[in-house]
């Protein structure tokens, strides 16, 4: 059996009614008829994803073959699956597909740049998953649709149960990509975020060959036409800080950086909803009251249909998917010029890092490869105190190639654009989590505004003795104490101990990259064992 098949063969394999390229209203109507979700009092579709309320990171696989064996960074993140196992999995997916009463398909693009996009034929059993794909990927124009040709086929079957022995996987849940035959299989999970991250993974594999830097970042454009990109892991403020009423939003999560542009991979945003504040995040909050928004695992009163965004009963990771144009100042082109500023966001729960620091290009590569943030107590089972998290390139689960490929691409792009680079801490100050306090979002916005406007470019600064980056000593409207984390601690010796501990974590994590970077990058991190 060959894995390659044409679209008409896929249609023939669907046993029930085939619903092709329905619009969002039709899909939401189907979701309601089929009992997949309910409307809130303001018209958003509210759904539950069951036991999977986040990504199944340990159930992701890539087929190891002649195309991938030397080009994928194999390990805990990128787990190999042999071709025979994938072929059996694919056959069983098609058999399961044939047993369904309804099948929904959407023809969409990953990427808003016509030269650097991939066509994705999405096949799913859930109307709301089809609506999610239609929201999060880029919708073709009528002309595009008439001549649409899929580069990849994505089959999404939440009711499918994988067999580890039969399919060479780990559990009943599986996300598997065959780059040779251009097929993506997602089974055993209703968490819709798997769809968008699978397409992101494909772009992260394909685009470096086109000299395009794929990025897990948000991006926006200032009144003067200057682009800023915001790297960051979940919970660091990537979506919140890019949704700025004074700047035009390109996108909140996934982008490419070519020689001429920064462009969005997606057609929508996928924001965390838990404890969303109307005051702090008005643009995102307003989307919860729109028909066309899909809310995952948000608690809703069954009688009044009122939402409770503060209730984590269903999930701490409750999410909202909405079209990009639901943000009032979103870019119509989903594109901007190469960035003038590159921001790396971290939520440092140890209270050690300053709220903003200027990085050299070498430091930018160091902190990009490190991809640091910190988990806090209560966010995951077993986490009882701050825990350092290093996710290479601020998106290790989605980066199939070796991190040095992306790091060197970023370094070249920064040099070519002459971009200024900043490390921004949205975490704690005055002590670690439990003792100190979270840096107020209004302070972070004030610091970002100063950086993006150019006011910090030549401002007076000090060199941090441990981390070696430049920290401004004064910013209009910001308490100077908050700019010096050591001074903000009541116990300066406690700060010194915490700073040394975090620096040591950075150094130990970076040993995996030492052989792949030059000396200037090795010396760009905290003071320590890599110094000459």
């Amino acid at each position: 059996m060959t894995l390659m098949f044409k679209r008409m063969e896929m249609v023939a394999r669907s046993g029930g009614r085939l619903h092709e390229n329905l619009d969002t209203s039709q899909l939401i109507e189907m979701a309601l008829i089929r009992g997949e979700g309910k409307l809130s009092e303001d018209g958003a579709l509210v759904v539950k994803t069951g036991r999977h309320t986040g990504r199944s990171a340990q159930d992701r696989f890539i087929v190891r073959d002649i195309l991938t064996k030397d080009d994928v960074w194999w390990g805990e993140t990128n787990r190999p699956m042999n071709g025979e196992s994938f072929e059996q999995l694919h056959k069983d997916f098609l058999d399961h597909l044939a047993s369904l009463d309804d099948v929904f398909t959407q023809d969409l693009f990953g990427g808003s740049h016509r030269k650097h996009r991939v066509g994705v034929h999405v096949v799913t059993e859930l109307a709301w998953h089809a609506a999610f794909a239609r929201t999060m990927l880029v919708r073709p124009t009528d002309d595009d649709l008439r001549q649409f040709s899929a580069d990849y086929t994505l089959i999404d079957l939440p009711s499918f149960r994988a067999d580890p022995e039969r399919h060479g996987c780990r559990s009943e849940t599986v996300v598997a990509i065959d780059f040779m035959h251009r097929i993506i299989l997602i089974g055993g999970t209703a968490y819709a975020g798997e769809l968008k991250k699978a397409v992101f993974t494909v772009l992260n594999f394909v685009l470096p060959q086109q000299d395009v830097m794929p990025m897990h970042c948000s991006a926006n454009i200032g009144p003067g036409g200057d682009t800023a990109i915001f790297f960051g892991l979940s919970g660091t403020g990537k979506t919140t800080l890019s949704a700025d009423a004074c700047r035009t939003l390109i996108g909140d999560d996934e982008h490419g950086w070519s020689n001429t542009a920064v462009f969005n991979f997606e057609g929508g945003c996928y924001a965390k909803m838990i404890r969303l504040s109307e005051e702090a995040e008005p643009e995102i909050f307003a989307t919860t009251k729109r028909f066309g928004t899909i809310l995952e695992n948000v608690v809703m009163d069954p009688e009044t249909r009122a939402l409770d965004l503060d209730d984590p009963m269903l999930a701490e990771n409750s999410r909202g998917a909405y079209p990009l144009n639901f943000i009032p100042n979103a870019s119509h082109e989903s594109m901007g010029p190469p960035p003038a500023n590159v921001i790396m966001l971290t939520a440092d729960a140890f209270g050690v890092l300053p709220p903003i620091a200027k990085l050299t290009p070498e430091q930018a590569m160091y902190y990009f490869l490190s991809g640091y943030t910190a988990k806090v107590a209560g966010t995951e089972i077993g986490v009882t105190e701050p825990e350092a998290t290093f996710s290479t390139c601020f998106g290790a689960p989605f980066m199939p190639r070796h991190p040095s490929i992306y790091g060197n691409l970023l370094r070249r792009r920064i040099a070519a654009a002459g971009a200024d680079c900043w490390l921004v801490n949205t975490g704690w100050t005055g002590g670690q989590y439990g003792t100190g306090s979270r840096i107020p979002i209004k302070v972070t916005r004030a610091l970002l505004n100063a950086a993006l406007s150019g006011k910090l470019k030549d401002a007076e600064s000090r060199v941090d003795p441990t981390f070696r980056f430049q920290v401004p000593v004064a910013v209009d409207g910001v308490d100077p104490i908050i700019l010096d984390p050591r001074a903000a601690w009541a116990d300066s010796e406690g700060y010194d101990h915490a700073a040394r501990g975090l620096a040591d974590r950075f150094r130990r994590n970076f040993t995996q990259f030492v052989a792949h970077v030059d000396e200037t990058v090795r010396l760009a991190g905290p003071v320590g064992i890599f110094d000459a």
Side-chain angles (χ1 to χ4, degrees), residues 85-345:
S85 294
F86 187 89
E87 185 170 346
Q88 185 62 59
L89 181 66
H90 177 242
K91 178 182 180 299
D92 291 346
F93 259 62
L94 293 182
D95 288 344
H96 189 82
L97 191 68
S99 71
L100 300 174
D101 292 333
D102 291 283
V103 175
F104 301 87
T105 69
Q106 290 282 313
D107 293 320
L108 303 160
F109 291 111
S112 58
H113 196 301
R114 299 189 71 85
K115 184 179 177 182
H116 302 297
R117 68 188 184 184
V118 297
V120 184
H121 181 56
V122 178
V123 182
T124 182
E125 64 178 293
L126 293 177
W128 83 262
H129 270 208
F132 177 91
R134 182 176 170 82
T135 299
M136 294 309 305
L137 298 182
V138 176
R139 301 175 191 177
T141 64
D142 290 341
D143 286 342
D144 288 333
L145 202 55
R146 279 190 285 270
Q147 53 190 332
F148 187 87
S149 176
D151 300 298
Y152 284 80
T153 296
L154 187 160
I155 310 176
D156 165 58
L157 301 176
S159 65
F160 181 86
R161 295 294 178 263
D163 180 340
E165 186 172 341
R166 179 179 176 87
H167 300 128
C169 53
R170 189 188 72 98
S171 72
E172 292 184 338
T173 300
V174 64
V175 179
I177 302 176
D178 184 330
F179 284 107
M180 177 74 76
H181 298 97
R182 300 186 177 187
I183 299 170
I184 305 164
L185 304 177
I186 303 173
T189 172
Y191 179 68
E194 296 285 13
L195 282 80
K196 81 183 215 85
K197 290 306 185 187
V199 175
F200 186 36
T201 301
V202 166
L203 290 165
N204 289 338
F205 185 75
V206 170
L207 291 185
Q209 295 174 307
Q210 302 174 22
D211 199 32
V212 173
M213 172 67 187
M215 303 176 292
H216 186 215
C217 73
S218 57
N220 62 25
I221 309 171
D226 58 298
T227 299
I229 59 176
F230 302 77
F231 289 103
L233 298 171
S234 179
T236 58
K238 183 161 46 68
T239 297
T240 298
L241 294 171
S242 60
D244 186 330
C246 298
R247 297 176 66 87
T248 300
L249 180 68
I250 300 175
D252 81 322
D253 197 44
E254 302 168 4
H255 294 80
W257 183 353
S258 71
N259 285 319
T260 59
V262 167
F263 60 96
N264 197 351
F265 287 169
E266 302 182 302
C269 299
Y270 193 43
K272 275 196 168 187
M273 291 288 117
I274 194 69
R275 291 176 283 277
L276 185 69
S277 164
E278 182 175 15
E279 180 183 358
E281 301 161 277
E283 293 86 4
I284 299 173
F285 188 88
T287 69
T288 67
K289 299 179 178 296
R290 297 278 302 266
F291 178 83
T293 292
I294 301 169
L295 298 175
E296 292 180 305
N297 303 313
V298 169
V299 173
M300 180 175 70
D301 186 292
E303 300 298 327
T304 67
R305 304 292 180 92
L307 302 175
D308 186 349
L309 300 178
D310 295 326
D311 190 339
M313 178 179 66
L314 295 176
E316 187 72 27
N317 187 40
S318 58
R319 292 275 178 167
Y322 49 88
L324 193 62
N325 62 16
F326 278 17
I327 299 297
N329 57 334
S331 166
H332 296 295
E333 297 80 20
S334 296
M335 201 173 302
N341 288 279
V342 174
I343 294 103
M344 298 184 187
L345 300 170

Side-chain angles (χ1 to χ4, degrees), residues 4-24:
M4 291 299 288
F5 55 85
K6 295 178 181 166
R7 181 174 170 181
M8 289 310 295
E9 292 174 298
M10 169 64 76
V11 172
R13 290 302 300 266
S14 60
R17 294 176 293 272
L18 185 68
H19 308 278
E20 297 185 271
N21 290 315
L22 299 184
D23 65 26
T24 299

Side-chain angles (χ1 to χ4, degrees), residues 278-512:
E278 182 175 15
E279 180 183 358
E281 301 161 277
E283 293 86 4
I284 299 173
F285 188 88
T287 69
T288 67
K289 299 179 178 296
R290 297 278 302 266
F291 178 83
T293 292
I294 301 169
L295 298 175
E296 292 180 305
N297 303 313
V298 169
V299 173
M300 180 175 70
D301 186 292
E303 300 298 327
T304 67
R305 304 292 180 92
L307 302 175
D308 186 349
L309 300 178
D310 295 326
D311 190 339
M313 178 179 66
L314 295 176
E316 187 72 27
N317 187 40
S318 58
R319 292 275 178 167
Y322 49 88
L324 193 62
N325 62 16
F326 278 17
I327 299 297
N329 57 334
S331 166
H332 296 295
E333 297 80 20
S334 296
M335 201 173 302
N341 288 279
V342 174
I343 294 103
M344 298 184 187
L345 300 170
T346 179
D348 175 31
F350 296 97
V352 165
L353 297 180
I356 194 166
K358 194 169 191 302
L359 306 176
T360 66
E362 293 76 21
Q363 287 172 331
M365 185 172 177
Y366 182 96
Y367 286 99
F368 176 73
L369 289 175
S370 298
Y372 165 70
T373 193
K375 298 174 185 175
V376 299
T379 57
E380 290 186 12
I381 295 172
V383 178
T384 57
E385 59 183 33
E387 182 179 297
T389 298
F390 294 94
S391 184
T392 301
C393 308
F394 292 99
F398 328 115
M399 303 292 180
R401 295 183 180 273
H402 192 278
S404 62
I405 299 293
Y406 307 108
N408 285 317
L409 253 176
L410 179 68
R411 192 176 181 183
R412 292 201 304 273
R413 286 278 173 262
I414 288 172
D420 289 322
C421 302
W422 309 88
L423 183 70
V424 172
N425 174 23
T426 61
W428 275 256
T429 186
Q432 69 173 18
Y433 173 80
T435 302
S437 58
R438 191 84 188 250
I439 297 171
I441 191 170
K442 65 180 181 180
V443 170
T444 301
R445 286 200 184 276
L447 294 170
L448 277 175
N449 290 339
L452 300 182
S453 68
K455 292 179 180 178
L456 295 188
K457 197 176 182 73
D458 299 311
E460 181 185 355
S461 62
R462 63 179 179 84
V463 176
D464 187 281
T466 302
F467 294 92
R468 297 198 271 211
F469 37 50
Q470 290 184 313
V471 182
V473 298
V475 177
D476 288 346
V478 176
D479 186 346
I481 290 293
I482 206 170
L483 296 171
D484 183 352
R486 189 175 190 270
W489 278 53
D491 175 11
S492 57
E493 289 186 4
Y495 171 85
D496 293 339
H497 177 76
R500 287 193 298 269
L502 181 58
D504 185 57
R505 288 179 174 90
F506 268 100
R507 290 191 293 268
R508 281 184 280 139
N509 174 73
F510 205 79
T511 56
Q512 63 186 308

Side-chain angles (χ1 to χ4, degrees), residues 7-61:
R7 181 174 170 181
M8 289 310 295
E9 292 174 298
M10 169 64 76
V11 172
R13 290 302 300 266
S14 60
R17 294 176 293 272
L18 185 68
H19 308 278
E20 297 185 271
N21 290 315
L22 299 184
D23 65 26
T24 299
S25 294
Q26 292 171 312
L27 289 169
I28 290 176
E29 185 177 59
M30 288 289 293
L32 295 172
I33 291 171
R34 288 160 48 87
E36 295 176 7
K38 295 182 178 180
L39 291 184
S40 74
E41 63 177 348
D42 296 306
L45 178 66
V46 181
V47 298
K48 298 176 183 178
T49 64
R51 67 188 184 93
H52 290 280
T53 60
R55 292 181 299 101
S56 300
Q58 306 215 9
D59 293 308
R60 294 176 64 257
F61 297 88

